[in-house]
């Protein structure tokens, strides 16, 4: 095998591995994590160790007070989180019936709740 090809095949992954480990070594203390443990994991378990560090680090930053879908917030209605783009729409009950007691076959509503003028 050509020495240049061998250097590329071994050198590039090794540089990435050392880069991931160096990033973890510098970044771990900022998040209150053990620097040696996470650097060793990122170095000796290629790619998976680094991804485990990134996901574990992000879990430490979670604040339920900022989460609109966490329980008990003002953004929750009747126990279900409603996305902003869906607010103001009529709620559906069981089997596609309107939550206020009407049925889709009343003649006033389309069965699939299509927009006005569209009949699919």
């Amino acid at each position: 095998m050509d020495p240049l090809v061998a250097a590329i095949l071994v050198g590039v992954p090794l540089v990435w591995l050392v880069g991931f480990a160096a990033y973890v070594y510098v970044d771990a203390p900022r998040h209150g994590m053990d620097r040696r443990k996470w650097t060793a994991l990122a170095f000796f378990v290629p790619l998976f160790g680094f991804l485990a560090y990134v996901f574990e680090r992000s879990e430490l930053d979670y604040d339920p007070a900022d989460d609109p879908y966490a329980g008990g917030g003002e953004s929750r209605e009747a126990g279900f989180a409603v996305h902003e783009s869906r607010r103001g729409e009529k709620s559906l009950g069981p089997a596609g019936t309107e939550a206020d007691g009407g049925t889709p076959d009343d003649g006033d509503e389309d069965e699939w709740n299509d927009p006005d003028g569209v009949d699919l």
Side-chain angles (χ1 to χ4, degrees):
M1 179 181 281
D2 188 26
L4 180 62
V5 174
I8 291 173
L9 289 177
V10 172
V12 171
L14 190 61
V15 167
W16 277 100
L17 188 61
V18 169
F20 286 154
Y23 176 79
V24 170
Y25 185 80
V26 171
D27 191 58
R30 294 181 195 162
H31 298 280
M33 299 172 76
D34 184 21
R35 174 183 282 184
R36 290 183 193 154
K37 176 180 94 172
W38 285 104
T39 302
L41 186 67
F43 186 78
F44 292 113
V45 184
L47 194 58
F48 179 77
F50 177 73
L51 292 176
Y53 166 75
V54 170
F55 289 127
E56 182 68 24
R57 179 188 71 173
S58 67
E59 288 292 320
L60 296 175
D61 296 336
Y62 175 72
D63 184 12
D66 295 336
D67 188 357
Y69 298 106
E74 289 179 13
S75 64
R76 295 182 60 88
E77 296 175 10
F80 296 103
V82 179
H83 192 269
E84 293 83 21
S85 66
R86 305 298 275 187
R87 293 199 193 278
E89 292 183 2
K90 289 185 179 180
S91 299
L92 293 178
T97 60
E98 294 296 329
D100 60 9
T103 61
D105 297 317
D106 287 343
D108 59 340
E109 291 281 332
D110 189 83
E111 179 182 357
W112 298 102
N113 202 13
D114 295 331
D116 293 336
V118 177
D119 203 13
L120 297 175

